[in-house]
Amino acid sequence: MGALTAAAATVGLASGAGFAAGAADPLPNVDLVLNGGFDSYPWIWKCDGDVRGSSIPHDHYVTGSPSADNNARCSQRVRVLPNSGYLLNATVRGPFAFVGATGAGGENASTWSSGSGWNNLSVQVRTGPDTTELTVYFHGWYEQAAYDVRRVSFSGPGYPPHPCGEPGGPSPTATDGPASPSPTCWRTYIP
């Protein structure tokens, strides 16, 4: 009788473990930034100040020129999962080029470049228990030299972002670059 009860308990644990593993399958790591290479429309980044696209054909990057009262900041909202880790990567040029991510749950991670040539920056971000959205950004520093950003990615678990303007979201407004972004353009989240 005791052996039969032990066998039943073992079967129950095994089936429960299988159910739990299937119910908690992790989402794949994806890049949650749209237009991180600055080469597509709509222009999803929201920029303040003097930020312009490269005029060199087939070499896409943006240049920000900070002033005394503006750090030439660009940002983009991304949907994230609570209690999850993400990696922000950027290719930048120029001293005082900052990249980072912030959230309402107290998330605040950033790094900056002190070199004058192209270099790669990366910073890790951990979301809080209630965080479902972060703001990814880059900018220069007040009254300092201009900076360039060639590529931004923000990778971690989540759903691949859909192009802006799909059903359920606002229609995109195509622009000719960062001088006239469409900050209200948003995208759907769950497929």
Side-chain angles (χ1 to χ4, degrees), residues 3-188:
L4 185 57
T5 304
T10 301
V11 170
L13 285 173
S15 62
F19 176 76
D25 286 342
L27 290 172
N29 284 348
V30 295
D31 186 0
L32 299 170
V33 164
L34 284 179
N35 197 13
F38 312 110
D39 56 358
S40 64
Y41 297 106
W43 181 260
I44 191 73
W45 295 93
K46 177 184 178 185
C47 298
D48 299 316
D50 185 5
V51 181
R52 302 172 189 273
S54 166
S55 60
I56 303 171
H58 310 296
D59 190 10
H60 302 284
Y61 61 89
V62 296
T63 298
S65 298
S67 64
D69 58 355
N70 190 296
N71 62 6
R73 183 180 192 266
C74 292
S75 63
Q76 181 179 145
R77 297 177 301 173
V78 296
R79 296 290 178 102
V80 294
L81 299 176
N83 295 320
S84 300
Y86 295 87
L87 181 64
L88 171 60
N89 282 305
T91 304
V92 304
R93 178 170 61 183
F96 304 106
F98 289 77
V99 298
T102 61
E107 299 84 0
N108 189 4
S110 65
T111 187
W112 63 286
S113 167
S114 60
S116 58
W118 286 109
N119 60 91
N120 295 317
L121 300 177
S122 47
V123 62
Q124 294 184 341
V125 183
R126 181 86 191 165
T127 56
D130 299 315
T131 301
T132 58
E133 180 179 292
L134 292 176
T135 297
V136 173
Y137 65 86
F138 57 86
H139 61 76
W141 197 250
Y142 303 96
E143 295 189 310
Q144 299 299 318
Y147 70 88
D148 301 316
V149 179
R150 174 170 278 148
R151 175 78 188 154
V152 178
S153 66
F154 190 75
S155 302
Y159 299 97
H162 291 288
C164 194
E166 285 199 352
S171 297
T173 302
T175 67
D176 56 5
S180 52
S182 178
T184 59
C185 192
W186 188 236
R187 57 198 184 276
T188 57

